[in-house]
Amino acid sequence: MKEIFEAVGKAAFRIQEALSYDDTGYADNKNATGDVQLKLDIKSDYIVEEELSRIPTVKALASEEKDQVDLVNESGRYIIGYDPLDGSSLADVNLSVGSIFGIYEGDLNGPSLKAAIYVVYGPRIELVSAYRDRVELWRLDRNGKFSFVQTLSLKERGKLLAPGGTQKHWYPHHKTMVDALFQEGYRLRYSGGMVPDLHQILIKGGGLFAYPGTSDKPEGKLRLVFEVLPFAFVYEMAGGEAIDDRGRRLMEYTVAGHHDTCPCFFGSREEIGAVKRAYGI
Ligand code: P6P
């Protein structure tokens, strides 16, 4: 696993350079789910593929940017499900974006996740790894190396709320819950970038990130294999919870298609309790 973590660090360093100096414009093609790709999406995906495919323990790569799962080492052990540049449309307005990695063994289902990593490209480049009951924060130092900073954990209750999804399409019970949380004094923290939004709640110790099912997108927007399951792994290991709109642990999900999406809630225990009450779970 150490080799994979190091390869992600190398990819992060290269992606940061691309974010700093490359063109943030659109390419001429679309990805596996029909999203118009940015040149940065394509370059980031290439960088991750190049760095991870050379690791002997990596058997296959499942990229959000590609339709198929690519076999890279027949004798490998892990399948890496990843979003090479999540929230890339925020790059042209110079907001933080991220990369997300789920390290799976055997298949791309929740119970098969063995580790998760995400990278935040912000004023500082930070990497969070969840593995063997530890959630660790690492930071890129002056020498271009990632240095360990601290372990991370979530309190029982926080103060931040990241309410995703198009509000005019929220179901009434969801809107009632969000309004009630704001009435309790929760602070709105939503940039439209899943990685910085969830990183902020984790670093500040607690709160709720919600990307619900809506009337226009009943199955939500965020993708299970590349985005939802890796963060569910991180949040549960940090002492929080990660559920869907029926109260099921996201980590128990069996994925039918590796581009599937699902409604998702990540947060401290008390906030997830508020979701369960609002959804009648
Ligand atoms: P909306 C970025 O496109 C992304 O996939 C996630 O990073 C983010 O949480 C979500 O979509 C934002 O979606 O509908 O709020 O713009």
Side-chain angles (χ1 to χ4, degrees):
M1 200 64 81
K2 184 172 182 289
E3 287 179 312
I4 293 174
F5 286 16
E6 290 173 350
V8 169
K10 289 175 188 169
F13 186 83
R14 294 174 61 188
I15 290 171
Q16 171 56 29
E17 279 189 323
L19 281 167
S20 298
Y21 309 112
D22 286 13
D23 178 354
T24 58
Y26 283 96
D28 298 330
N29 40 348
K30 293 185 178 180
N31 68 10
T33 43
D35 301 328
V36 179
Q37 286 182 303
L38 291 166
K39 293 171 187 169
L40 283 171
D41 288 323
I42 295 169
K43 183 163 187 178
S44 300
D45 193 29
Y46 173 79
I47 288 169
V48 170
E49 180 180 356
E50 190 175 63
E51 292 296 345
L52 285 178
S53 60
R54 64 170 66 126
I55 306 298
T57 54
V58 174
K59 179 167 191 170
L61 296 175
S63 168
E64 182 185 276
E65 298 299 331
K66 295 194 181 76
D67 201 14
Q68 76 291 350
V69 179
D70 291 329
L71 178 67
V72 291
N73 294 303
E74 183 70 45
S75 58
R77 179 176 176 183
Y78 300 111
I79 309 171
I80 315 280
Y82 67 91
D83 183 351
L85 196 60
D86 182 78
S88 54
S89 59
L90 299 171
D92 66 347
V93 293
N94 203 23
L95 284 179
S96 297
V97 292
S99 301
I100 312 168
F101 304 84
I103 294 92
Y104 299 82
E105 186 169 5
D107 56 41
L108 293 169
N109 296 320
S112 301
L113 252 181
K114 302 303 176 197
I117 307 167
Y118 68 82
V119 180
V120 188
Y121 306 100
R124 297 185 292 200
I125 315 305
E126 296 189 330
L127 180 151
V128 171
S129 63
Y131 180 53
R132 288 184 175 166
D133 296 328
R134 279 172 65 90
V135 179
E136 297 185 342
L137 172 66
W138 296 69
R139 188 172 293 143
L140 195 65
D141 65 24
R142 296 177 188 281
N143 306 313
K145 299 294 180 195
F146 279 95
S147 299
F148 174 73
V149 177
Q150 64 181 82
T151 57
L152 298 173
S153 63
L154 288 161
K155 303 183 187 88
E156 281 297 301
R157 177 190 175 94
K159 297 175 182 160
L160 305 183
L161 176 56
T166 306
Q167 298 197 19
K168 75 172 187 178
H169 295 308
W170 284 353
Y171 295 124
H173 59 279
H174 183 81
K175 178 165 174 36
T176 301
M177 176 191 76
V178 171
D179 291 346
L181 289 169
F182 281 132
Q183 283 306 307
E184 287 181 44
Y186 279 81
R187 316 289 292 168
L188 170 62
R189 294 290 184 273
Y190 193 78
S191 73
M194 180 182 194
V195 175
D197 290 343
L198 279 160
H199 185 62
Q200 178 172 196
I201 291 170
L202 181 56
I203 293 289
K204 295 293 185 183
L208 175 66
F209 175 100
Y211 206 105
T214 52
S215 56
D216 66 328
K217 293 181 181 174
E219 290 310 309
K221 171 185 181 183
L222 302 182
R223 296 169 180 88
L224 271 161
V225 167
F226 318 111
E227 298 165 330
V228 172
L229 291 178
F231 268 107
F233 191 89
V234 172
Y235 263 57
E236 285 199 351
M237 199 165 280
E241 292 188 58
I243 63 170
D244 68 2
D245 54 350
R246 284 173 280 181
R248 293 182 302 178
R249 279 182 68 231
L250 293 165
M251 287 306 299
E252 292 171 4
Y253 260 62
T254 298
V255 177
H258 74 277
H259 285 276
D260 289 356
T261 63
C262 79
C264 51
F265 303 86
F266 307 85
S268 304
R269 294 188 189 286
E270 287 201 16
E271 285 84 348
I272 295 295
V275 174
K276 291 176 178 175
R277 289 190 295 276
Y279 278 70
I281 298 164

